[in-house]
Amino acid sequence: MTTTLARMTKIEVVVSGQDAAAVRDVITGVGATGFTSVSGVSGLGHHGYHQGRLLFNQQAALELIITVVPDDKVEALLAGLRRLLDASPGVLFVTETFVSRPEYFS
């Protein structure tokens, strides 16, 4: 199945809306070619339950930011995200993934 696909790394970060811009800056700063950002996600974690939709304060809502990068960008991206998450609440997921058009990510 994966013989026609290229291996990459998917990185997903859930942070508060106020930290989302910093995450996007780290992602673009290491040369990632793009990301997907989903606002208003809900979740339960160390800081309690967070509702997905807040009427007046988007900064307090959680945001999920997803990017896919080739191996040569992973360590720099993780280092930048770890520094950010050391100072702010959030979670980081790193997963091996496969893509059909690797040229989109280089």
Side-chain angles (χ1 to χ4, degrees), residues 26-41:
V26 170
I27 290 170
T28 57
V30 300
T33 59
F35 56 83
T36 299
S37 187
V38 182
S39 299
V41 296

Side-chain angles (χ1 to χ4, degrees), residues 2-98:
T2 59
T3 58
T4 61
L5 301 175
R7 192 181 72 74
M8 299 266 176
T9 300
K10 178 172 63 169
I11 297 176
E12 300 169 274
V13 185
V14 179
V15 292
S16 69
Q18 70 184 30
D19 295 323
V23 170
R24 289 189 293 267
D25 288 346
V26 170
I27 290 170
T28 57
V30 300
T33 59
F35 56 83
T36 299
S37 187
V38 182
S39 299
V41 296
S42 298
L44 174 66
H46 291 288
H47 295 280
Y49 181 76
H50 290 271
Q51 289 184 318
R53 188 169 184 98
L54 298 174
L55 292 177
F56 302 108
N57 185 358
Q58 204 55 19
Q59 297 293 313
L62 294 178
E63 192 160 331
L64 168 63
I65 303 162
I66 306 162
T67 191
V68 173
V69 295
D71 288 344
D72 63 335
K73 293 182 175 25
V74 172
E75 287 306 316
L77 181 51
L78 291 178
L81 292 173
R82 284 185 191 125
R83 280 192 297 276
L84 179 68
L85 293 173
D86 281 345
S88 302
V91 291
L92 170 70
F93 304 100
V94 180
T95 312
E96 180 180 40
T97 194
F98 294 86

